[in-house]
């Protein structure tokens, strides 16, 4: 269905392609596997999918090191398979967003290889951040910036004549050199990339590191050089969130509007925006910039009603005030899954973590705006926390030698069927193991089992999405907080739909009376169980 502003309250499912479904038996998910899984996603009820990078890449950061922005890596298929995926998705009414990576490319990108060969002062090097080092022999980095994935943000090259040479900037890994967006060739090239995929029918883009791109033109020392490494977040004010970045999003929005004007089909831009506050976040979703930007504060909030209420209120005030809608998210490919995250916070294991994750999902789906669901979230998958060191592939681990905040545990391939690995994930004539090992307990989470159990996470998500589509109170709009006892958070949507969450572990009286619609746990009449969320329809008399 084409409707104005479809994205404003859409629910988008993030597909981490290499871990979704493998059609060839090589142990790595692919585009044909995504296509085979589309009926499953249609049954779940999502409005669209976001595909992680599948472009040609040496895979140092699993595709976020792009060597060719207009192709498909043979690991995942080819352009013909991509076109089949697009056609199938659209036939099922599912929109498709691509992950685009404009802050950096692969060190194997032809332009970077050209820059290495061209020498200092060349036009080829001007596409990146090449500069001389400090010290008498230029053997010290140009500034004190740290990379987010560990180590310095600079690497020194050997010049074509064999001498030690200039340094280049990489805010993630040495295999991911940062583009110089002050060079007019870079915005022109990315407009070409956008148009290439828009011409193939995509419905929009998820933009990686959307607060990045521009660096302070003088590349001065950071006042807190350890901040990026310590937080693994975009906190260096000289390397992130520079004002010039907003002009890029205005230009990209104009390109999308041009395509929308041709056929009436809105294209979406959603940004990965890590900035200090909701007010700063709101600048990225002004009417002529990005349509949406992920609001990570809810994901990062501790399991506490006051914390949840604070971040939700700030988002509604600052972001919704721009004319956009808030883009809620609880999980993604970079974060510990909620089942484990909330369980660890409780110090009581996965049982309470699962109950809290179910409650948080129901709360998120009741909030005004859009929501993004990460694959496996709808199955209640926990984080795989005991992967052996020798199978870890995250560059954070390679760069730091530490398992802290390593992301492999949320990227383990999905379990689809059966009792033993590969749990239906991989098929075909080969018999390779999944690229990351699946634990034996994944047998409890396989999709076929979840669909058969009406009390599963999957049915909670499916029922929530169905109600969200059917009830006019949900989706876009506003909310009003209700007075509640301690540990309980409740709000009303529209004409008498109430969502309440009991953050405590003990049952409490339900904050309203009325007709229960959906609950994340067992709630006797008139009671809101501990670590449970519920939706009610009321006549409004007790609100």
């Amino acid at each position: 269905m084409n409707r104005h502003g479809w994205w404003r309250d859409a629910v988008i499912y993030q597909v981490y392609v290499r871990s979704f479904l493998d059609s060839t038996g090589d142990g790595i998910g692919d585009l044909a596997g995504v296509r085979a899984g589309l009926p499953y996603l249609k049954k779940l009820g999502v409005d669209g999918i976001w595909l992680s990078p599948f472009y040609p890449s040496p895979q140092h950061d699993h595709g976020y090191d792009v060597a060719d922005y207009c192709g498909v890596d043979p690991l995942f298929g080819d352009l013909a398979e991509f076109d089949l995926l697009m056609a199938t998705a659209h036939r099922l009414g599912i929109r498709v967003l691509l992950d685009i990576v404009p802050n950096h490319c692969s060190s194997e990108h032809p332009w970077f290889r050209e820059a290495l060969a061209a020498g200092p002062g060349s036009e080829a090097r001007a596409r990146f951040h090449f500069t001389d080092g400090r010290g008498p022999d230029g053997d010290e980095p140009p500034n004190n910036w740290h990379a987010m994935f560990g180590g310095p943000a600079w690497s020194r090259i050997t010049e074509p004549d064999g001498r030690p040479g200039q340094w280049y900037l990489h805010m993630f890994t040495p295999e991911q050199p940062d583009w110089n967006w002050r060079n007019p060739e870079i915005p022109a090239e990315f407009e070409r990339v956008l148009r290439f995929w828009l011409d193939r029918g995509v419905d929009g883009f998820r933009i990686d590191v959307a607060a990045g791109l521009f660096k302070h033109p003088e590349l001065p020392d950071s006042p807190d050089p350890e901040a990026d490494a310590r937080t693994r977040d975009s906190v260096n004010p000289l390397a992130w969130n520079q004002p010039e970045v907003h002009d890029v999003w205005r230009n990209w929005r104009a390109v999308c509007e041009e395509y929308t004007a041709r056929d009436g089909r809105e294209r979406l831009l959603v940004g990965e925006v890590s900035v200090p506050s909701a007010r700063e976040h709101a600048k990225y979703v002004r009417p002529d910039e990005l349509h949406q930007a992920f609001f990570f504060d809810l994901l990062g909030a501790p399991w506490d009603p006051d914390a949840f209420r604070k971040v939700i209120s700030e988002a509604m005030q600052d972001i919704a005030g721009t004319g956009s809608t808030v883009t809620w998210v609880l999980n993604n490919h970079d974060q510990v899954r909620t089942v484990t995250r909330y369980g660890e916070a409780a110090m009581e294991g996965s049982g309470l973590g699962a109950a809290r994750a179910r409650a948080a999902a129901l709360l998120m789906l009741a909030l005004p705006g859009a929501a993004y669901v990460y694959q496996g979230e709808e199955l209640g998958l926990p984080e795989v926390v005991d992967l052996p060191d020798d199978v870890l592939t995250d560059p954070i681990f390679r760069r730091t030698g530490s398992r802290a905040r390593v992301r492999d545990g949320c990227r383990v391939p999905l379990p689809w069927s059966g009792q033993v690995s590969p749990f239906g994930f991989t098929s075909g004539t080969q018999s390779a193991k999944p690229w990351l090992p699946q634990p034996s307990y994944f047998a409890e989470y396989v999709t076929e089992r979840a669909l058969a159990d009406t009390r599963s996470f999957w049915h909670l998500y499916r029922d929530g999405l169905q109600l969200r589509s059917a009830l006019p109170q949900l989706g876009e709009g506003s909310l009003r907080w209700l007075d509640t006892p301690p540990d309980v958070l409740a709000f009303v949507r529209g004409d008498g739909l109430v969502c309440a969450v009991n953050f405590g572990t003990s049952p409490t009286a339900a904050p309203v009376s009325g007709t229960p619609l959906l609950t994340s746990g067992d709630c006797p009449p008139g009671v809101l169980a501990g670590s449970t969320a519920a939706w009610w329809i009321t006549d409004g008399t007790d609100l």
Side-chain angles (χ1 to χ4, degrees):
M1 177 176 65
N2 288 328
R3 58 186 172 88
H4 182 70
W6 64 268
W7 48 271
R8 299 181 67 85
D9 57 2
V11 177
I12 306 295
Y13 186 97
Q14 180 189 354
V15 175
Y16 194 72
V17 175
R18 66 187 297 122
S19 295
F20 186 71
L21 187 58
D22 166 24
S23 72
T24 64
D26 64 357
I28 298 173
D30 47 51
L31 294 181
V34 177
R35 179 162 58 91
L38 288 175
Y40 163 79
L41 298 177
K42 176 68 174 178
K43 185 181 295 186
L44 183 62
V46 300
D47 298 297
I49 57 175
W50 145 32
L51 301 175
S52 63
F54 51 77
Y55 316 109
S57 164
Q59 303 294 318
H60 291 293
D61 190 18
H62 296 319
Y64 285 92
D65 49 323
V66 181
D68 176 3
Y69 288 87
C70 295
V72 175
D73 195 294
L75 274 175
F76 306 120
D78 53 27
L79 282 171
E81 179 56 51
F82 174 81
D83 291 340
L84 283 174
L85 168 58
M86 285 295 308
T88 304
H90 284 168
R91 186 168 65 249
L92 292 172
I94 296 174
R95 293 174 171 88
V96 180
L97 309 182
L98 303 193
D99 204 325
I100 193 165
V101 188
N103 180 73
H104 50 266
C105 65
S106 166
S107 55
E108 296 299 313
H109 191 285
W111 278 8
F112 189 73
R113 288 158 57 179
E114 180 186 349
L116 294 178
S122 62
E123 293 183 2
R125 288 201 180 175
R127 297 170 179 147
F128 302 91
H129 295 279
F130 277 89
T131 189
D132 296 334
R134 297 194 288 198
D137 299 316
D139 56 359
E140 298 177 13
N143 65 29
N144 64 358
W145 294 4
H146 278 251
M148 287 175 62
F149 287 177
W154 295 91
S155 287
R156 195 177 194 184
I157 68 165
T158 300
E159 296 294 350
D161 62 6
R163 293 181 299 175
Q166 289 189 307
W167 298 70
Y168 69 90
L169 179 70
H170 50 82
M171 293 305 299
F172 291 88
T173 72
E175 294 84 12
Q176 295 167 289
D178 281 38
W179 293 110
N180 177 13
W181 274 82
R182 299 183 190 281
N183 184 324
E185 283 192 80
I186 305 309
E189 172 64 7
F190 274 92
E191 180 172 334
R192 183 187 74 84
V193 171
L194 292 182
R195 292 182 183 278
F196 176 87
W197 293 110
L198 289 168
D199 287 341
R200 299 191 91 91
V202 304
D203 298 284
F205 302 92
R206 177 265 185 187
I207 304 164
D208 189 59
V209 195
L213 281 60
F214 285 86
K215 281 67 181 173
H216 191 288
E218 297 176 5
L219 300 174
D221 278 343
S222 167
D224 185 357
E226 303 293 335
D228 279 332
R230 182 177 64 248
T231 64
R232 299 277 187 272
D233 208 348
S234 313
V235 294
N236 179 350
L238 303 170
W240 312 103
N241 199 27
Q242 298 292 296
E244 297 94 330
V245 76
H246 295 282
D247 289 332
V248 175
W249 310 137
R250 292 185 184 99
N251 291 335
W252 286 28
R253 180 67 175 261
V255 171
C256 287
E257 297 293 347
E258 175 189 328
Y259 278 79
T260 296
R262 294 180 188 177
D263 58 16
R265 186 163 60 87
E266 283 192 284
R267 275 67 166 189
L268 169 64
L269 297 173
V270 54
E272 180 194 31
V273 174
S274 295
V275 288
S277 67
R279 183 166 299 176
E280 197 68 26
H281 181 111
K283 294 179 181 178
Y284 285 81
V285 292
R286 290 175 288 198
D288 61 345
E289 295 193 38
L290 304 178
H291 300 80
Q292 298 177 329
F294 297 117
F295 185 67
F296 293 121
D297 291 28
L298 186 65
L299 181 155
W303 185 253
D304 175 82
D306 293 335
F308 269 61
R309 179 167 179 161
K310 179 177 184 293
V311 299
I312 292 168
S313 296
E314 289 177 351
M316 293 301 299
Q317 174 181 322
D318 293 325
I319 298 170
T322 66
S324 181
T325 54
V326 186
T327 306
W328 308 102
V329 59
L330 290 169
N331 294 271
N332 65 33
H333 66 293
D334 289 331
Q335 302 294 332
V336 175
R337 290 184 179 274
T338 48
V339 169
T340 300
R341 195 166 75 236
Y342 293 146
E344 288 175 343
M347 303 293 289
E348 294 194 26
S350 62
L352 187 55
R356 289 176 171 182
R358 289 170 63 94
L362 211 53
L363 178 145
M364 178 181 71
L365 294 176
L367 290 171
Y372 280 67
V373 174
Y374 176 50
Q375 67 180 40
E377 178 180 338
E378 80 284 5
L379 301 176
L381 282 184
E383 187 87 355
V384 181
V385 298
D386 56 355
L387 291 168
D389 285 358
D390 61 357
V391 305
L392 294 178
T393 61
D394 192 332
I396 293 175
F397 180 69
R398 297 199 309 269
R399 295 275 290 168
T400 66
S402 169
R403 297 176 67 99
R405 300 191 68 173
V406 167
R407 301 164 296 169
D408 288 307
C410 67
R411 300 176 177 185
V412 174
L414 291 185
W416 290 87
S417 61
Q419 297 297 312
V420 296
S421 181
F423 299 112
F425 165 71
T426 187
S427 62
T429 57
Q430 303 181 58
S431 57
K433 295 179 180 179
W435 70 279
L436 281 173
Q438 300 160 305
S440 60
Y441 63 77
F442 265 27
E444 303 172 24
Y445 299 93
V446 295
T447 299
E448 65 177 6
R449 182 172 179 171
L451 267 65
D453 180 4
T454 58
R455 296 169 60 87
S456 69
F457 263 83
W458 191 90
H459 280 273
L460 179 73
Y461 273 78
R462 196 279 306 269
D463 293 348
L465 291 177
Q466 285 187 339
L467 287 170
R468 185 180 167 100
S469 295
L471 296 174
Q473 296 96 327
L474 293 174
E476 187 179 358
S478 59
L479 63 77
R480 178 167 57 86
W481 296 109
L482 300 178
D483 293 331
T484 57
D487 287 337
V488 175
L489 189 68
F491 54 86
V492 61
R493 297 292 318 279
D495 184 16
L497 188 145
V498 172
C499 173
V501 183
N502 182 354
F503 283 76
T505 56
S506 300
T508 187
V512 295
S513 60
T515 303
L517 293 176
L518 188 59
T519 177
S520 67
D522 294 323
C523 293
V527 174
L528 185 62
S531 303
T532 295
W535 294 354
W536 290 273
I537 287 286
T538 78
D539 61 10
T541 59
D542 55 352
L543 299 180

